[in-house]
Structures are given as structure tokens and as C-alpha cells.
Amino acid sequence: MKQILVIGSLNMDCVIDVPVMPKAGETISGTGLALIPGGKGANQAYAVGKLGGRVGMIGAVGQDAHGEALLENLCSVGVDVSGVGVIKGVPTGQAYITVDANGENSIIILAGTNGRVDRGMIDRNLSLLEACDIVILQLEIPVDTVEYAKNLAVNMGKTVILDPAPAVAGLPDRFWQGVDYVKPNETELAILTGKEIQTREDLLAGARVMLEKGVKNVLVSLGGKGCLLVTGEREAFFAANRVKAVDTTAAGDCFTAAFGLALSQGRSVDEAIGLGQRASAIAVTRKGAQTSIPAMREVEEFCPLSGEEEN
Ligand code: RIB
């Protein structure tokens, strides 16, 4: 099995359950509160580890209780955290998440140490980059660091998967060049391309824009509607597994991780999408970020569903 390296964020998630999302100026009562390990990067590293992959992480935490708890959780599923720096005097990243009765969330992040992950940190952990086969990146650490790490990875011939969340408008084309797979959701695709995404045609057009920018393959996750794969040779929609969503937090992270893990095991792109769909379908039926990630045994037992839709 190939080795995966996740470069990205670690957050302690402060999760508040609400019946409905509060409107501007409104005060509402929450129904529950929990602290749960999260952060898009850490969620992806945790998911690869929990699903049985070989994975390491580069990132940063503060010298505080949240940082300690996050590292401990990653270690519990075998993630190599030697590339996660501990920065004195800066708090670990935090996310404040409200989850409504439909399982939808809204998230506010405070970067903390995630904002300190710089080129120097990548350079100091070059051996991890050299040793891996697949690199997974997101956008919760500085964009400059993501681009720097991506360029190094591309030059070393690694497979690069970029989950462009949270999406940043107006990134130059050079940012995308050499990326093997980019995995936006619909909202992120609209922000990245500056195009309105309403219909299937809009989705296809948006994905083609990403190809023009230099990405090799585009995977758009569509939540309960499945996902879309667009490459130079192929455009295919994949149906979703039908589940009752309890909390969608980290479902996209789980998809990205399972997809990368499947590639690391030498599986085809269609199989990797299927694994991503099944793992993330389970994740949305559970509360929290890392608390929702299934083990491979659970994914294998999960009633399958996905495959390319017949058009
Ligand atoms: O993708 C979900 C994650 O986004 C949460 O765990 C939160 O920390 C934010 O980074």
C-alpha cells in the first residue's frame, strides 16, 4: 500500500446543536454542546488512518489542551504526527459549528496555529514529502504554503489531491497546475470559477473551467445528489447512497480521504469514488467530525449503492 501525506489544518470543533439556524439579529436556544476533534486536514488524516491506510500529517497545534487532544486522537488511528509542530504562544485552531435538525451545518473557523503553517515547516518535513506517494491538501492553512507544497509534490511526481475548502476566489491558474484531483462541492466550485451553479450543465461547465485552469481531474461532491467526475476524456455523474443525515460535518473530508486511500491501494478511480461515497454516507449519519468517520469494516458492511448513473 502506498503512503499518504496530509498537509493542512487541525481544529478543536465546538459544536452546538440547534433546531434551525439563527437568522441575523436573532437569539435562539441550543440543545447540546460538544468539543470534537476536527479541522479539514486532521479529519482527512484521521479518516485515512481509521480506514486502514498509511498516513502522516504536516500541520501545527498550540501548546495547549486542544492541541494535545488532537494529536492524541490522530495517534489513536496510527497517523504519523512527527510533522505536526507545536507552536508556543499561539492557540490551536478552533471551529465554531452549528448543526441544525436536518444535519446541515455552518462553520466559523479561528485559524490559530493553522495560520502559522509556512514554507519553512514544509522544508523541515521534506523527508515526509519525499517518502509519500499521495499528497492531500486543503485551504485552511495559508494559500502560499499550499501552493509551495503542491509545487514540490508535483515536481517530485507525487499524486496531488486538493480539497479546495474553504474556497478562495480568484486564485491564479498557476495555483491549479499539476493538481491531479480537485474536489470542490457545488458552492466551492461556484466561488473558484466565479460562475453561478444551478443546473447539471452549470456543474459540467464549472468543472471544465477547472480543467482549463490546469487541474487534471475534477470531482464535484453533490451531497445527497452524489458526485460528478470530469476529466479530459470523461464526464460522469455518480448516484449517492440514500441515508438520513444527522450531521454533514466532515462528510467531504471523509470522501476525500477514502478516495485517496483507495488510490493508494491501487484501486480504479470509479472504485475510489465508490469507497468515498460509502464512507461519507456513513459519516453523515453520525455526529461530529472525527467522531463520525467509519472503519473499513463498517464501510464494507454498508449496503452499496453507487456507480455511474445511466444517462
Ligand atoms: O470539514 C469540516 C471541518 O471544517 C470541521 O471539522 C471544522 O474544524 C472545519 O475545519
Side-chain angles (χ1 to χ4, degrees):
M1 193 193 322
K2 292 179 173 172
Q3 172 90 23
I4 295 175
L5 178 66
V6 177
I7 303 176
S9 59
L10 301 94
N11 291 330
M12 184 55 79
D13 293 351
C14 179
V15 184
I16 306 176
D17 295 317
V18 291
V20 288
M21 292 294 173
K23 297 189 192 74
E26 189 183 18
T27 301
I28 62 164
S29 294
T31 55
L33 174 68
L35 280 182
I36 299 176
K40 296 184 195 307
N43 294 343
Q44 293 171 10
Y46 180 90
V48 173
K50 181 131 191 210
L51 289 165
R54 292 174 56 213
V55 59
M57 179 161 188
I58 297 177
V61 292
Q63 199 175 46
D64 51 32
H66 288 169
E68 240 175 70
L70 290 169
L71 289 177
E72 200 181 308
N73 209 46
L74 289 177
C75 289
S76 74
V77 292
V79 178
D80 172 1
V81 296
S82 61
V84 180
V86 179
I87 302 177
K88 283 187 194 160
V90 183
T92 297
Q94 297 169 64
Y96 288 82
I97 305 180
T98 44
V99 180
D100 72 13
N102 295 319
E104 296 297 340
N105 63 45
S106 71
I107 304 180
I108 299 168
I109 51 175
L110 293 174
T113 44
N114 297 315
R116 303 296 183 96
V117 180
D118 57 10
R119 292 178 181 219
M121 196 168 277
I122 304 298
D123 289 341
R124 287 192 291 283
N125 290 288
L126 218 48
S127 59
L128 290 174
L129 194 52
E130 281 161 354
C132 78
D133 306 283
I134 297 174
V135 178
I136 303 180
L137 298 150
Q138 328 74 34
L139 298 180
E140 269 183 353
I141 59 171
V143 165
D144 173 74
T145 311
V146 175
E147 186 175 359
Y148 181 67
K150 182 270 296 182
N151 285 339
L152 286 173
V154 169
N155 290 337
M156 290 178 191
K158 313 296 179 188
T159 297
V160 177
I161 302 173
L162 176 51
D163 189 341
V168 177
L171 290 171
D173 287 0
R174 67 159 201 276
F175 181 84
W176 303 105
Q177 276 149 23
V179 171
D180 292 281
Y181 298 92
V182 68
K183 190 219 70 71
N185 62 24
E186 290 158 278
T187 310
E188 289 152 2
L189 184 64
I191 294 170
L192 297 175
T193 59
K195 292 187 178 301
E196 202 183 331
I197 308 279
Q198 297 281 357
T199 64
R200 278 193 164 202
E201 266 317 309
D202 294 340
L203 281 169
L204 289 165
R208 289 178 200 131
V209 169
M210 296 309 296
L211 289 185
E212 282 160 21
K213 288 177 181 292
V215 171
K216 296 180 195 164
N217 303 282
V218 184
L219 261 170
V220 187
S221 53
L222 306 171
K225 292 176 283 173
C227 74
L228 166 67
L229 171 70
V230 174
T231 74
E233 297 79 43
R234 187 173 166 210
E235 297 182 340
F237 282 93
F238 293 78
N241 295 278
R242 289 190 176 277
V243 290
K244 165 119 182 60
V246 170
D247 181 354
T248 55
T249 307
D253 300 330
C254 188
F255 178 97
T256 301
F259 178 82
L261 171 72
L263 293 187
S264 80
Q265 295 171 328
R267 302 200 208 186
S268 70
V269 170
D270 286 37
E271 287 172 322
I273 289 172
L275 190 70
Q277 302 252 73
R278 297 212 305 280
S280 57
I282 296 173
V284 302
T285 65
R286 299 173 178 175
K287 286 188 170 213
Q290 288 167 38
T291 44
S292 71
I293 308 290
M296 185 57 92
R297 176 187 44 76
E298 297 172 284
V299 180
E300 282 164 354
E301 284 166 6
F302 180 76
C303 172
L305 85 80
S306 58
E308 186 173 343
E309 278 182 12
E310 285 178 24
N311 290 307

